[in-house]
Amino acid sequence: MKKIEILRIESLSRAPLVIEGYLFEGSDPEAPSLAIVGAMDGDAILPLFCASHMVDYLKNTINKSKIKGNVLIIPSINHYALNIAQRFWPLDKTDLNMMFPGYSEGETTQRIAAKVFEAISGYTYGINLERRRDPTNCLPHIKLFKSGYEDLDGAKEFGFKIIHHSELRSIDTVTLQYNWQLWGTKAYSIVCPVDNLVDKNISSQIHQAMVRFMDKVGIVDHKIFNAYESNVITKKNLKIVKAQKSGIFIPAEIVGNYVVKGQIIGSIINSLNGEVVSKIKATSDGMIVCCFNNSLILENAVAFRIANIR
């Protein structure tokens, strides 16, 4: 393993920002290569943990000879935001994942993105570990834009329950996934739940999925059990269930559970007198893939998302 410095930015008021990557050189020059990018947000604790755990795993668990292709892992980019638990780059509140492919003569975050993109360009495959943006718990899953460059067959090799094949918006053209794909890398975003407490069960699912993918595409020779035959979900397969009242939100079902139309899946309690003011019912048959993760909910907020494959 080689520890490489990707970028160093001096600061007048604190220690320099140093972005580092961990490079594992493969034994087979013909094997495909992989780059993994962890936390770009300052509240992306699970992506940070999953990336750092993979560094430890490749270093201490897999025999060096079993690593066939080069693997570069960058666990964290936005250290300043992580240190103060803020999502965005703290100096100007910009989103690093909206700065790609970057610009070496631009603003600070554009320069950071340019250096990172330079380091991870040319890899056969790319994995971007993302924290979900809205306040919901969700199943870990693959997110792919309908860009014309996406690799759905490759996404199925991870073995997650679902692949969210989402419409490409104009704002998505400045994300890492899109630009990676535009420049020839088969890139995938793994969406992690928002909870900033590391759930060992969820992190293990994500870790196993990445190892499974690396084995199936020939980056490592390390067998692991198969998981799910992934279902590709689009906007048409998702049903949104909104809260009809404001109050204390009590879910009756958890993410991953199957429900039927009309089933009571949650309730809303009056926060002053404790009475049930609304019962939340499933709007379709399917599996709960997202659940609001705050105990206080506002009227018309999204309480659940239910996916079906019909």
Side-chain angles (χ1 to χ4, degrees):
M1 182 192 78
K2 292 182 179 178
K3 187 176 180 180
I4 59 176
E5 184 175 299
I6 293 169
L7 172 67
R8 177 182 291 267
I9 296 178
E10 299 296 333
S11 171
L12 293 175
S13 57
R14 61 186 304 167
L17 172 71
V18 182
I19 299 174
E20 295 173 321
Y22 297 85
L23 177 63
F24 297 86
E25 295 181 314
S27 59
D28 182 0
E30 300 300 319
S33 56
L34 170 69
I36 300 173
V37 174
M40 280 193 278
D41 296 336
D43 54 5
I45 306 303
L46 191 53
L48 174 67
F49 175 78
C50 290
S52 63
H53 180 49
M54 185 59 73
V55 173
D56 178 70
Y57 189 78
L58 292 179
K59 180 181 178 182
N60 297 313
T61 302
I62 295 182
N63 187 291
K64 185 179 179 180
S65 65
K66 298 290 187 179
I67 303 175
K68 301 299 182 182
N70 289 350
V71 180
L72 173 65
I73 304 173
I74 305 175
S76 169
I77 294 174
N78 198 349
H79 309 339
Y80 284 179
L82 275 166
N83 287 342
I84 56 175
Q86 288 190 8
R87 174 180 165 187
F88 297 123
W89 178 250
L91 302 182
D92 60 6
K93 308 302 181 185
T94 49
D95 186 343
L96 269 168
N97 199 25
M98 292 292 169
M99 292 292 155
F100 289 93
Y103 175 47
S104 61
E105 302 299 323
E107 298 295 332
T108 304
T109 44
Q110 291 178 305
R111 295 178 185 226
I112 293 171
K115 274 292 187 181
V116 170
F117 197 68
E118 179 184 336
I120 61 178
S121 293
Y123 282 79
T124 314
Y125 298 100
I127 297 174
N128 179 26
L129 291 157
E130 293 187 14
R131 178 187 186 271
R132 190 175 175 88
R133 297 305 178 90
D134 56 344
T136 59
N137 289 327
C138 68
L139 286 176
H141 63 276
I142 296 290
K143 179 182 74 178
L144 280 181
F145 297 126
K146 293 181 180 179
S147 63
Y149 303 103
E150 71 271 32
D151 177 27
L152 274 173
D153 289 336
K156 294 176 181 178
E157 302 290 10
F158 288 89
F160 285 114
K161 283 187 178 181
I162 61 172
I163 298 167
H164 187 198
H165 199 199
S166 61
E167 298 294 334
L168 181 71
R169 305 165 300 172
S170 58
I171 195 173
D172 296 323
T173 60
V174 290
T175 61
L176 174 56
Q177 182 194 134
Y178 178 81
N179 282 279
W180 236 347
Q181 292 173 346
L182 189 64
W183 292 92
T185 293
K186 295 180 179 181
Y188 319 91
S189 294
I190 296 179
V191 179
C192 306
V194 300
D195 198 343
N196 281 337
L197 291 174
V198 173
D199 184 315
K200 292 293 289 184
N201 179 45
I202 297 296
S203 64
S204 179
Q205 290 179 41
I206 294 169
H207 174 76
Q208 290 176 39
M210 290 193 288
V211 175
R212 184 179 300 114
F213 173 81
M214 288 191 284
D215 176 64
K216 287 184 176 293
V217 301
I219 295 169
V220 300
D221 180 13
H222 188 77
K223 301 303 177 189
I224 190 170
F225 284 102
N226 289 328
Y228 298 97
E229 183 179 345
S230 301
N231 289 291
V232 179
I233 301 298
T234 66
K235 187 177 181 179
K236 293 179 180 179
N237 303 107
L238 288 172
K239 302 299 181 182
I240 292 175
V241 183
K242 292 185 177 181
Q244 299 302 308
K245 299 285 186 178
S246 300
I248 297 174
F249 173 56
I250 309 292
E253 301 290 339
I254 62 173
V255 169
N257 284 4
Y258 290 89
V259 297
V260 296
K261 185 176 181 179
Q263 178 181 339
I264 295 175
I265 56 177
S267 58
I268 298 174
I269 310 297
N270 185 301
S271 57
L272 298 180
N273 62 29
E275 293 180 356
V276 176
V277 294
S278 178
K279 291 184 178 180
I280 303 172
K281 296 181 180 181
T283 54
S284 69
D285 298 349
M287 181 176 65
I288 295 174
V289 293
C290 292
C291 175
F292 189 73
N293 75 338
N294 197 306
S295 294
L296 290 176
I297 194 167
L298 297 176
E299 184 177 349
N300 288 323
V302 176
F304 296 93
R305 286 183 174 87
I306 299 173
N308 61 65
I309 53 175
R310 295 179 181 178

